[in-house]
Structure formats: structure tokens, C-alpha cells
Amino acid sequence: MNYVSTRGYPRSFSAAEAIVRGLAPDGGLFMPDALPRFTPDELNNMEQQDYAEVAASVMARFLPDYTPEELSRFTREAYSRFGADAAPLVDIGEKRFVLELYHGPTSAFKDFALQMLPRLLAAGARKTGVSERIAILVATSGDTGKAALDGFADVEGTAIQVFYPAGGVSDIQQLQMTTQRGANVRVTAVRGNFDDAQRGVKAIFSDNALAERLRAGNIRLSSANSINWGRLVPQVAYWFYAYSRLVRRGVLSRGGKMDVCVPTGNFGDIFSAYLAKRSGLPIDRFICASNSNNVLYDFINTGVYDKNRDFKMTVSPSMDILISSNLERLLWLLAPESVPQLMRSLAETGRFALDNSALSALKAEFSAEWCSEEDTLKEIADAYKGGYLCDTHTAVALHAVKRAEKPTVVASTASPFKFPAAVLTALGLSPDGTGRELLDRLSNETGQPIPAGLAALDPKDARFFDTVEPDEMERAVTEFLL
Ligand SMILES: *Cc1c(COP(=O)(O)O)cnc(C)c1O
């Protein structure tokens, strides 16, 4: 198996090269030139495996140049901080099963990928003979930043700089990032929204003069955003794991199909589920749930992707995105030849349109829903009345599946304690006070413990206070790295 660019670059790459590079030389995203095919026997075996074992078996099939021993060690280490069951599956009735993906060190699902990526990158650098220091640049709408910082902090041979939209993340998220420890980390606020920050990072990546200066300093840039294959492939594993638990519990018979519903921003998480299906996991349909930045809802319903619309700041900020980068990978699977032209159109006009055959192929497997701010809060209250406490992002997904016809796995992407102000408001309680007071109030009210990483947050530990304009991001990078 080799990796190729979604935009047709005329050479292929090993998995390790794809991970170390992050982005293909022509600006496309890496995809395997052939997907693995898991046999029914392999799926059955997973019923007896724990999370780390399932993850190692799944990833081995996508990363042939990493040894099974390496992957077993990496997954064992990466998921050791997730609690006894890394991804609990909770039956909330109406054939809905919430897959809680927030029991990692930073209480967001991005930990699944970002505790693995540093290991994949460091090993990948060794395999490809890269000796430079690898500098990770991240644009974050909130959760990626902290999860990446935690994953890379003090990892030898790496440095990490995170850019987040000033005022565009929750107080808790901001505090999680600005208190990050480690000698190789830097956190910088950008005056703008997530797309501004992401555009800035992309511009830095494609700046050849800068790359030259960095190379002279023995530094190579790489990405930890979900466009990196090393971010996506660990996420494929939890869909296999969820399926194996449904079968083990007798909810599904072997080979029976499930649906999945995913609160979506950059299209990474839902695309990882799609990869699982294309690799043989019995998934029927995908429900793509958006907040009021509902560009994907329109796209899936009409075939027209149009980011020319107001950017909205919502109570589910990790989904406040108008350009869903990983969608390019789905387009490549549906209509590979069309990708360069669609992406050119997106860059030049902010929109593109699928042809009818690609649109029907999309609609055959995907449906979309979106959820207003008001409905997000109402959904939290309703779920809580039904006995389940969830965060704002999960609420957007639950809103899309009030009841299901077949067993449906709903991804829960963050702990309710990461967004306590919104959750308290939804429950009819006061959202006023410091981050710490909100955490305590939510815990006292619901009887649920504050996750350890959040309980330890203290504003006195903040280390990073800089805010820059989007056009100053490059200077912030050179100041940090050179
Ligand atoms: C990142 C994130 C999402 C969106 O995931 P994508 O892979 O970008 O679609 C949803 N919820 C939370 C809490 C997140 O952090």
C-alpha cells in the first residue's frame, strides 16, 4: 500500500513519508492508493480485544511500514491514560449508543489521535531518514490545540506552536492551552476566527522561502491538524471497537449493520468512520451533524459547497468551521479526477458544485442535519432529563437522531466539563463565575466528577499571553523556532 495525493501528484509515498510530510507537495491530502479489507474473522477477533489491541490491529493494516510490535507498543502507551475502557459505549435508549470519546488526558476525542501522532511521527522520521527537528504548527478551534500540546510536550526532536482564534474558544479551553507545560511548546492567539488561523498556517506551510530558512536551522515543519494522515488513522480504530462492543453485547449480530452520527467540523471524525466502512466494517449510513455553521448540511443536501456566508460563533466552537478540509478525501473517493478542479474553484470562488452522479453517490450513504443554538441547549436539557449529561457538540449530534431505526453510534466528542458555561445555561443554572466555579457548580449539580486534567487547571499557571494579527503569524513562528 502506498500513499498518493488527492490532487494527482505524480509519485507515491510510504505511510511514514505521508505522516512526516503532513501535506502532499501539490497541496493535496494523502490517501492510500488501495484500502485494506478486514475479513469477518478479523472483525470477530476484535470482540475479545481491548481498545489498544483493536487500535493496533486496525492501524497495522493502514501503516504497512510500521511493525505490528511498534504499533502494539504505541497504542498501549498512548491509551494508557484513558481509563479502563478507553471508549465507553453508553446505551441511552431509542437504539442510540453514545460512544464517549472524551476520556483521554484533555477530555476531547482528539486525544485518540494526538496521543498517537507524536509516536507515529518520531518513528516515521527515523524510518525516512529525517534528522531535522520536527516543528508542529497547529491552527485550532479549541480542542486540537490542547490535545496536540499534551501529546507533543517534551517529545524529543519536536517543537509545537498552537494558534487559536482570540475570543473564539471557551475559557476552559484557553486556560488548558495557556497553562501547557513543556520546553518545546508555544501558544499564540490570533485576532480572527478559526479559518483565519487555519489559512495563516496553510500559508506558512506553502512558503518556500520560510522553509529554506527553517531548513538552515535544521527544522522541518509538519502538521498535526486533521489533514495529517497520522491524525486520521488512529480514529478509524474506534469505529471497529464500537462495532465489536455492539456485537459482544448482542445488540448486533455478526455482520449486522449500524449507522453512525458524528458532530462534524473539519470532516475528520466522520471521514474516519467512512474509511472504516470502505475497509469492511458493516456501517450503513452516516449522519453528518452541524451547528449553525451549516455549510456541510447544505452541501450534502444540494451538492453545492459554499463557504460565502457569515461565520457564526456558537456554543459548540470546535465545529465553527466553514472549510472542512477532510471533505477533499471523500471527494477523492467519490470522484477522483474532479478534485483538483473542485479545490481550485473553492480557493478562487469559495464554492464548488458536485455533478449529479457524485451527488447521488454521496447521498446514498450520507445524510445531514443541523442544530440551532437554542436547540443545542434544549437537547442538553432533554438528554439530562433522560439521565444523560452531554456537552454542546454531542448535543448537536443527538439532535440529529432523536430515535433510530437501527443501532446508531453517536460520537460524543467532548466532556460536558469542557463547556461548563453552556451546559449550566442549558440546565437552567447560572453560567457566571470563573472557570473553576463553573466546574464545581456543574459537578455539584450533576454529581459527576470533574475530569482530573480540568480539575487541576489554575489561571496562575498561565504561561502564554501573546495575541497577533493573521499576517504576523509567520513572524511568531520564526521568533519561536529560530
Ligand atoms: C474537533 C471536534 C469536532 C469536529 O471533529 P472533525 O473531525 O473536525 O469533524 C467535534 N467536537 C469536538 C468536541 C471537537 O473537538
Side-chain angles (χ1 to χ4, degrees):
M1 172 195 288
N2 282 308
Y3 282 78
V4 294
S5 167
T6 49
R7 301 196 190 168
Y9 190 75
R11 107 161 163 85
S12 60
F13 300 82
S14 69
E17 278 180 296
I19 290 171
V20 171
R21 285 176 173 267
L23 204 61
D26 57 358
L29 308 188
F30 286 113
M31 279 292 289
D33 58 5
L35 287 170
R37 190 79 200 169
F38 288 84
T39 64
D41 275 350
E42 285 177 291
L43 297 184
N44 299 346
N45 286 341
M46 291 177 192
E47 293 162 29
Q48 307 311 324
Q49 295 180 328
D50 69 13
Y51 188 82
E53 289 166 338
V54 171
S57 326
V58 171
M59 290 176 56
R61 298 290 299 278
F62 285 93
L63 305 174
D65 43 341
Y66 292 71
T67 68
E69 295 70 33
E70 273 177 321
L71 292 171
S72 295
R73 178 159 46 83
F74 293 168
T75 57
R76 182 89 31 230
E77 289 168 1
Y79 300 123
S80 65
R81 293 164 71 198
F82 280 62
D85 184 354
L89 191 61
V90 182
D91 183 349
I92 61 162
E94 306 290 352
K95 297 204 178 150
R96 299 173 305 167
F97 297 82
V98 177
L99 183 62
E100 292 184 348
L101 299 173
Y102 58 76
H103 295 285
T106 78
S107 304
F109 90 96
K110 294 186 171 69
D111 286 330
F112 277 92
L114 285 162
Q115 292 292 318
M116 274 305 288
L117 181 65
R119 294 173 167 85
L120 296 175
L121 254 181
R126 276 197 306 278
K127 289 173 197 300
T128 54
V130 168
S131 58
E132 296 116 311
R133 187 156 70 115
I134 295 182
I136 303 294
L137 297 187
V138 178
T140 184
S141 56
D143 289 335
T144 308
K146 176 59 183 182
L149 289 163
D150 190 281
F152 280 96
D154 290 330
V155 171
E156 222 178 284
T158 71
I160 175 164
Q161 183 163 29
V162 168
F163 293 97
Y164 68 93
V169 301
S170 79
D171 287 353
I172 297 282
Q173 287 178 314
Q174 181 171 341
L175 198 57
Q176 279 187 300
M177 292 190 275
T178 57
T179 56
Q180 177 65 46
R181 310 226 174 114
N184 64 338
V185 307
R186 178 69 63 93
V187 177
T188 310
V190 178
R191 231 169 257 118
N193 60 38
F194 169 72
D195 287 325
D196 296 320
Q198 176 152 273
R199 203 173 314 114
V201 165
K202 281 187 178 164
I204 291 168
F205 276 120
S206 54
D207 183 334
N208 292 328
L210 177 66
E212 202 56 51
R213 283 176 67 200
L214 292 173
R215 205 168 307 127
N218 201 36
I219 293 166
R220 167 196 275 262
L221 290 182
S222 190
S223 149
N225 274 97
S226 63
I227 50 175
N228 190 308
W229 183 252
R231 276 281 304 272
L232 264 180
V233 77
Q235 297 183 139
V236 179
Y238 48 69
W239 303 107
F240 282 87
Y241 180 75
Y243 186 83
S244 73
R245 301 307 106 151
L246 286 177
V247 172
R248 205 160 88 172
R249 288 186 204 170
V251 174
L252 283 177
S253 53
R254 287 176 171 175
K257 286 189 178 173
M258 65 181 187
D259 285 347
V260 305
C261 176
V262 184
T264 297
N266 223 0
F267 212 77
D269 201 5
I270 193 167
F271 185 70
S272 71
Y274 189 69
L275 280 172
K277 176 175 182 176
R278 284 284 190 114
S279 306
L281 190 68
I283 299 177
D284 189 12
R285 292 188 62 81
F286 301 84
I287 303 156
C288 174
S290 301
N291 65 22
S292 41
N293 292 296
N294 51 9
V295 60
L296 285 167
Y297 170 84
D298 289 343
F299 172 65
I300 291 169
N301 283 298
T302 65
V304 176
Y305 192 98
D306 191 348
K307 74 163 185 86
N308 302 304
R309 59 179 76 202
D310 287 340
F311 177 90
K312 306 214 170 97
M313 300 241 254
T314 73
V315 291
S316 45
S318 301
M319 295 153 64
D320 290 346
I321 287 175
L322 292 179
I323 299 185
S324 296
S325 304
N326 276 297
L327 187 60
E328 181 170 345
R329 290 187 155 110
L330 177 65
L331 299 174
W332 185 78
L333 287 175
L334 296 178
E337 294 81 30
S338 70
V339 172
Q341 185 258 320
L342 296 180
M343 291 302 118
R344 204 171 318 119
S345 168
L346 181 64
E348 285 164 10
T349 67
R351 86 193 273 289
F352 63 81
L354 287 188
D355 64 28
N356 283 337
S357 78
L359 179 59
S360 352
L362 177 71
K363 282 188 168 173
E365 293 177 292
F366 285 81
S367 53
E369 299 290 341
W370 74 276
C371 184
S372 69
E373 293 292 277
E374 196 186 331
D375 283 342
T376 305
L377 297 187
K378 188 164 173 301
E379 194 61 44
I380 293 173
D382 286 352
Y384 189 61
K385 267 185 228 124
Y388 190 71
L389 180 67
C390 72
D391 92 300
T392 47
H393 304 75
T394 308
V396 166
L398 286 176
H399 183 74
V401 271
K402 294 283 194 193
R403 55 193 60 77
E405 275 155 29
K406 65 164 75 66
T408 298
V409 171
V410 181
S412 175
T413 48
S415 160
F417 286 92
K418 275 202 90 164
F419 302 94
V423 175
L424 285 165
T425 305
L427 302 184
L429 299 162
S430 164
D432 300 331
T434 63
R436 179 69 217 196
E437 286 162 354
L438 303 189
L439 293 175
D440 286 335
R441 195 174 302 145
L442 187 56
S443 178
N444 291 338
E445 176 66 24
T446 60
Q448 296 201 14
I450 304 170
L454 299 179
L457 286 178
D458 186 338
K460 285 200 294 296
D461 296 332
R463 300 172 59 201
F464 302 104
F465 306 95
D466 283 356
T467 304
V468 302
E469 300 294 333
D471 63 5
E472 296 169 333
M473 288 171 64
E474 179 168 330
R475 190 167 50 79
V477 169
T478 52
E479 270 173 18
F480 172 47
L481 292 175
L482 292 176

